[in-house]
Amino acid sequence: MDYYIDIFLLPDPELPLPILMSALFSKFHKALCDLRSTDIGVSFPKRGQNLGNLMRIHGNLKTLTTLQEHKWIGPMMGYCKIGNILPVPLKVKYCTVFRKQPTMSTAKLRRLIKRGSIAEDETTRYKSKMFSQSLTEPFIELRSNSTGRRHKRFISFGPLQNKPVTGNFDQFGFSSTATVPWF
């Protein structure tokens, strides 16, 4: 993880930033799947209540060059300013960026009902508990290619560390153990 690419989303009067970031991230995820990549990570250095307007992609020079040659951004190009592949600065911290899954969801409730693990009269109690425990992390909204359903992928950030931790990333660019440079 010694190189990175910054992709800034440009403001658009008709499309809110979270929708643009979700669309960009969907393209990124598809490219990682196409390339079968496990050595590209992602971070969102300008995150706040949402993920901000900057998506930073991390990897080695060869992997990032291959990603850019894939021309994965496609029609999103008009909404982005793409930086060059640059070396990571010398003095940085490191951070894990990973998916945070809710412990209760409507999909899980449907499965519990179908399986017979929860009675119909308990669904109201389940739903109220589910909404009281909702996640506050920023998220990407994605659409499943297999079912067409939309779902939120909540993103959490680990504590800053002084040393990098190597490992594999999933095809969303996340890892609960491997770190990306944070600067």
Side-chain angles (χ1 to χ4, degrees):
M1 297 267 142
D2 47 357
Y3 285 85
Y4 72 98
I5 303 168
D6 278 347
I7 301 177
F8 288 94
L9 288 172
L10 303 172
D12 186 281
E14 296 177 16
L15 294 170
L17 187 60
I19 290 174
L20 288 172
M21 185 60 80
S22 292
L24 177 64
F25 193 84
S26 291
K27 298 273 187 195
F28 173 68
H29 166 58
K30 185 176 181 332
L32 292 184
C33 289
D34 290 348
L35 297 171
R36 300 186 196 289
S37 176
T38 60
D39 56 354
I40 294 177
V42 66
S43 66
F44 303 90
K46 301 217 181 240
R47 70 167 163 62
Q49 286 184 319
N50 62 39
L51 293 171
N53 70 334
L54 171 60
M55 185 166 94
R56 183 169 287 156
I57 303 170
H58 305 269
N60 63 47
L61 183 59
K62 182 181 177 201
T63 305
L64 293 180
T65 302
T66 301
L67 176 67
Q68 290 304 78
E69 288 169 351
H70 194 65
K71 301 198 184 305
W72 61 277
I73 293 181
M76 286 296 300
M77 187 72 87
Y79 298 98
C80 303
K81 179 180 179 239
I82 304 167
N84 295 323
I85 300 174
L86 298 172
V88 170
L90 293 177
K91 297 195 180 214
V92 296
K93 297 281 187 177
Y94 299 88
C95 176
T96 54
V97 180
F98 56 95
R99 177 183 187 185
K100 174 115 181 189
Q101 288 184 277
T103 56
M104 303 178 97
S105 68
T106 53
K108 185 175 181 180
L109 177 60
R110 278 193 304 272
R111 289 191 303 272
L112 289 170
I113 292 169
K114 186 176 181 180
R115 199 171 36 210
S117 300
I118 189 170
E120 286 289 332
D121 59 331
E122 294 173 330
T123 59
T124 306
R125 194 169 42 239
Y126 183 95
K127 284 180 182 179
S128 66
K129 189 173 179 183
M130 178 179 70
F131 289 120
S132 70
Q133 294 179 353
S134 63
L135 296 175
T136 59
E137 281 84 357
F139 62 88
I140 297 281
E141 189 166 343
L142 301 170
R143 182 184 304 151
S144 168
N145 285 337
S146 59
T147 66
R149 287 193 175 151
R150 292 194 166 282
H151 66 281
K152 293 178 180 175
R153 188 164 283 258
F154 292 90
I155 301 170
S156 195
F157 302 83
L160 292 178
Q161 303 173 32
N162 292 322
K163 301 232 185 255
V165 176
T166 59
N168 289 335
F169 292 85
D170 65 16
Q171 294 189 329
F172 291 92
F174 300 143
S175 175
S176 59
T177 55
T179 58
V180 292
W182 191 262
F183 56 98

